[in-house]
Amino acid sequence: MANRSRVSLALRRARISPASISPASSSRPIRQLAQARWQSTASTEDSEGVTKGTTGSTKSFKFTSETYPNIKRESKFSEVTEDHVSYFKELLGKESAVIDGVTRDATDDIEPFNGDWMRKYRGHTKLVLKPGSTAEVSEVLKYCNDNMLAVVPQGGNSGLVGGSVPVFDEIVINMSRMNQIRSFDSVSGTLVVDAGVVLEVADNYLGERNHIFPLDLGAKGSCHIGGNVATNAGGLRLLRYGSLHGNVLGIEAVLPDGTIVDDLSKLRKNNTGYDLKQLFIGAEGTIGIITGVSIICPQRSNAINVAFFGLESYEKVQEAFREAKGQLSEILSAFELMDSHSQSLVATVTKNKRPLEGDYPFYCLIETSGSNTEHDNEKLEKFLEFVMEKEIVLDGVVAQDATQVKALWGWREGVPECLGHWGGVYKYDLSIPISELYSLVEDIRGKISDAGLIGNGEGYPVVEGGVVGYGHMGDSNLHLNVATRRYDKKVEQVLEPFVYEWISKRNGSISAEHGLGLAKKNYIGYSRSVTMIALMKQIKNLYDPNGIMNPYKYI
Ligand SMILES: O=C(O)CC[C@@H](O)C(=O)O
Ligand SMILES: [Zn+2]
């Protein structure tokens, strides 16, 4: 009886008043944050590998070629000359389509294309090309291939592994001018877009037509669909809608020799030979450039509920997940995990009022999306009563309207952005068997602390933002982030290769959804066998025999 009254009290607290949730900070696209950072604090790394925060322009952060002196520019690649620039200017016609730092000093214009938003990777390109059509991409690539000019395909440049910026003087092929929605069929839900369409633009377009894009992620305001597909981005709702390998129906891409891969099928079923489009999904621009995508989009759900819980242990998180799958089944659209460190960090940086009063070791965000409000509410109520009564969760809130839905999501989507507050962030994006998912965070916290690297303030220690674990519980995907005041080899040495060995022992993946880029390319062997890597190399050599596509990354 005592137990029952505590439960109903807890449920009443769960039904909070609309005013008690602060507005979320997360709807700000990552790119905006990146741009703000470009103009404010940058970091440099000294000769001992210690990166110091400095105030100044982007030019003050170190080049990748200096941070990783072992990577050497391949002499087989030509340097861009004035003749090359003239060719591209004539080909692309439009002045804004060529940012030329060869015949003039265009450093300030070019810098945003040379560096990533985390200020970790910075290249030396002197030429950015913005083709406006598939035919132009084809001409550009053919010319580059014939002249041994290395290239980096670039979408919204919101990646996390340094895959979309040059290492040396590779030409950046930026896809932002290819930004048209080509067609939408509201009966089948098939959307066809140019690669440079921003994810949020596509989602808004679909929203007006009662549909949604099957992928959603924090960088939606800046990332391009082509980049999403090239990196096989996973995001927040993969649990419900599945991966891009399932949702992408067709791809148009250009190979280095200019061949247009015209596989922009709109068919759900097509068993006629090898499914070659799959090679481009997750290839990170190493075999060609994606120029168009056709994708199946679900109808927008009428009823969306979001609940946010505090839990006492990772065991309870697993119980909650099991119950959510069982009781919410077909309406469950997201199950996200955040540890207490991640939430304190968001509260510190945003100064928003936290959704729950107490501090809990773990938090979960559950989203349901269904077609019948009454039915969904009833299911959710029952689930909430159950998890409260069984003390699987200790406290919780349920969003009462769309503003609160957004605000609660902000406590999850805002984590990566807030982590950048202290300076540099070491990021690991890992697939781990679910029972062990959080123990890696505890192990790393122990190691960082034993090494005397955790603390606040002067000199060492440098891990000021802390060791943070969060991610897509529903997909067994952990984001382990270590937020430091500066990029520091001492921290890196504690983390690597330990994290990768830990993952390899458990047959996990060292990159669940962010790709390999430059950051993880040397570690692919921890997740893939020698045979599989050799097969990948064969594909690379077949499609890109000159190796001009996004060199120094991947394989
Ligand atoms: O920054 C990260 O480590 C994760 C980013 C993204 O994949 C997320 O789930 O928020
Ligand atoms: Zn993620």
Side-chain angles (χ1 to χ4, degrees):
M1 189 62 200
N3 197 21
R4 162 75 38 203
S5 62
R6 221 171 57 75
V7 168
S8 53
L9 177 72
L11 274 172
R12 240 181 291 126
R13 281 182 57 206
R15 290 276 163 198
I16 54 161
S17 71
S20 63
I21 301 182
S22 320
S25 62
S26 69
S27 53
R28 193 159 50 122
I30 285 182
R31 186 66 188 171
Q32 276 178 24
L33 175 90
Q35 275 157 359
R37 283 201 201 142
W38 284 113
Q39 285 141 19
S40 57
T41 310
S43 298
T44 55
E45 205 170 311
D46 68 17
S47 52
E48 288 153 335
V50 176
T51 313
K52 297 168 180 154
T54 56
T55 303
S57 76
T58 60
K59 284 173 229 161
S60 62
F61 83 90
K62 231 179 167 184
F63 289 109
T64 307
S65 57
E66 293 168 323
T67 319
Y68 301 94
N70 294 340
I71 308 174
K72 303 283 179 223
R73 185 186 183 281
E74 287 193 37
S75 54
K76 68 178 181 184
F77 296 130
S78 312
E79 285 180 22
V80 184
T81 63
E82 292 189 12
D83 284 350
H84 297 141
V85 174
S86 303
Y87 173 83
F88 290 124
K89 279 189 174 163
E90 190 157 336
L91 175 73
L92 301 182
K94 233 175 148 191
E95 206 166 297
S96 58
V98 178
I99 307 179
D100 156 34
V102 178
T103 65
R104 63 186 185 98
D105 178 11
T107 316
D108 288 342
D109 297 339
I110 280 184
E111 277 308 299
F113 303 90
N114 253 328
D116 74 323
W117 70 277
M118 298 181 301
R119 304 189 319 267
K120 201 170 180 190
Y121 303 100
R122 183 176 166 213
H124 301 264
T125 198
K126 286 210 169 109
L127 188 62
V128 177
L129 303 176
K130 297 185 180 178
S133 67
T134 304
E136 284 184 1
V137 174
S138 168
E139 292 293 331
V140 165
L141 278 189
K142 185 170 169 12
Y143 184 85
C144 290
N145 198 44
D146 290 344
N147 289 278
M148 285 304 286
L149 292 163
V151 304
V152 184
Q154 188 178 78
N157 200 9
S158 58
L160 296 156
V161 289
S164 57
V165 287
V167 178
F168 298 103
D169 55 348
E170 303 88 274
I171 297 172
V172 172
I173 303 186
N174 181 284
M175 298 300 286
S176 56
R177 277 185 63 226
M178 286 196 64
N179 58 5
Q180 297 303 305
I181 290 176
R182 298 191 192 177
S183 67
F184 176 63
D185 178 344
S186 62
V187 179
S188 65
T190 309
L191 176 76
V192 184
V193 291
D194 280 353
V197 170
V198 170
L199 177 56
E200 196 165 54
V201 170
D203 195 49
N204 290 342
Y205 171 93
L206 289 163
E208 287 160 15
R209 289 152 184 84
N210 201 30
H211 280 69
I212 59 167
F213 202 86
L215 169 78
D216 184 25
L217 38 84
K220 56 181 157 277
S222 51
C223 62
H224 292 182
I225 290 172
N228 297 146
V229 175
T231 55
N232 187 23
L236 301 160
R237 291 180 184 132
L238 187 139
L239 172 70
R240 170 67 167 274
Y241 300 112
S243 88
L244 291 172
H245 280 294
N247 291 313
V248 170
L249 303 179
I251 274 183
E252 177 190 87
V254 179
L255 300 183
D257 67 0
T259 303
I260 295 174
V261 179
D262 54 348
D263 194 22
L264 208 47
S265 162
K266 296 180 195 163
L267 306 172
R268 277 288 266 176
K269 294 178 151 186
N270 185 5
N271 274 358
T272 50
Y274 299 128
D275 190 2
L276 295 179
K277 70 171 182 293
Q278 299 297 347
L279 289 177
F280 293 84
I281 304 175
E284 299 182 49
T286 56
I287 56 173
I289 297 187
I290 296 172
T291 51
V293 173
S294 114
I295 187 161
I296 187 88
C297 301
Q299 285 220 352
R300 193 162 285 266
S301 301
N302 292 332
I304 300 218
N305 283 306
V306 169
F308 185 96
F309 303 124
L311 308 95
E312 74 183 11
S313 67
Y314 183 65
E315 279 62 46
K316 297 284 182 190
V317 173
Q318 291 178 78
E319 273 182 58
F321 180 45
R322 210 174 34 221
E323 288 306 327
K325 280 195 296 179
Q327 298 192 32
L328 302 171
S329 54
E330 81 285 356
I331 60 168
L332 183 65
S333 53
F335 194 110
E336 294 287 311
L337 168 74
M338 292 83 69
D339 69 5
S340 85
H341 301 259
S342 72
Q343 295 304 281
S344 312
L345 197 130
V346 175
T348 306
V349 175
T350 64
K351 301 193 172 51
N352 285 341
K353 187 173 181 292
R354 296 177 68 151
L356 303 179
E357 275 159 24
D359 195 5
Y360 300 93
F362 292 93
Y363 297 87
C364 288
L365 183 149
I366 290 183
E367 184 192 77
T368 64
S369 314
S371 58
N372 184 325
T373 312
E374 247 173 63
H375 164 265
D376 290 6
N377 287 352
E378 195 184 309
K379 269 190 154 177
L380 188 62
E381 291 274 329
K382 269 202 180 142
F383 167 74
L384 293 174
E385 259 174 55
F386 182 87
V387 290
M388 290 276 188
E389 192 166 341
K390 296 278 182 226
E391 297 187 358
I392 296 172
V393 311
L394 296 177
D395 196 5
V397 290
V398 179
Q400 302 292 292
D401 57 30
T403 312
Q404 290 190 353
V405 164
K406 205 169 169 189
L408 284 180
W409 265 114
W411 289 89
R412 163 60 185 87
E413 285 186 281
V415 177
E417 194 171 312
C418 294
L419 272 156
H421 176 78
W422 282 267
V425 188
Y426 290 92
K427 287 183 171 291
Y428 300 93
D429 160 40
L430 310 157
S431 272
I432 301 176
I434 205 152
S435 60
E436 292 190 275
L437 185 123
Y438 196 74
S439 40
L440 175 63
V441 184
E442 286 159 348
D443 289 358
I444 290 295
R445 208 169 274 138
K447 278 182 77 72
I448 292 278
S449 164
D450 291 349
L453 291 171
I454 209 151
N456 51 4
E458 304 303 301
Y460 285 106
V462 294
V463 182
E464 284 186 26
V467 177
V468 170
Y470 61 103
H472 316 289
M473 179 81 184
D475 315 322
S476 294
N477 177 188
L478 172 78
H479 293 311
L480 163 72
N481 280 218
V482 180
T484 62
R485 184 149 24 92
R486 56 203 177 199
Y487 291 115
D488 189 319
K489 290 280 183 226
K490 287 205 171 91
V491 178
E492 198 174 309
Q493 278 154 14
V494 171
L495 296 171
E496 293 173 20
F498 179 84
V499 170
Y500 301 124
E501 286 166 355
W502 196 102
I503 291 298
S504 181
K505 267 186 216 148
R506 287 153 182 91
N507 297 319
S509 170
I510 63 149
S511 182
E513 59 168 1
H514 296 166
L516 295 164
L518 182 67
K520 320 280 172 192
K521 72 154 189 172
N522 290 333
Y523 305 106
I524 184 172
Y526 286 97
S527 287
R528 298 284 199 184
S529 68
V530 173
T531 308
M532 294 314 293
I533 296 169
L535 288 171
M536 285 188 207
K537 283 189 173 154
Q538 280 182 19
I539 302 272
K540 166 77 178 171
N541 291 338
L542 179 70
Y543 281 78
D544 180 23
N546 288 345
I548 65 158
M549 299 300 307
N550 217 358
Y552 317 108
K553 327 256 172 73
Y554 216 127
I555 40 174

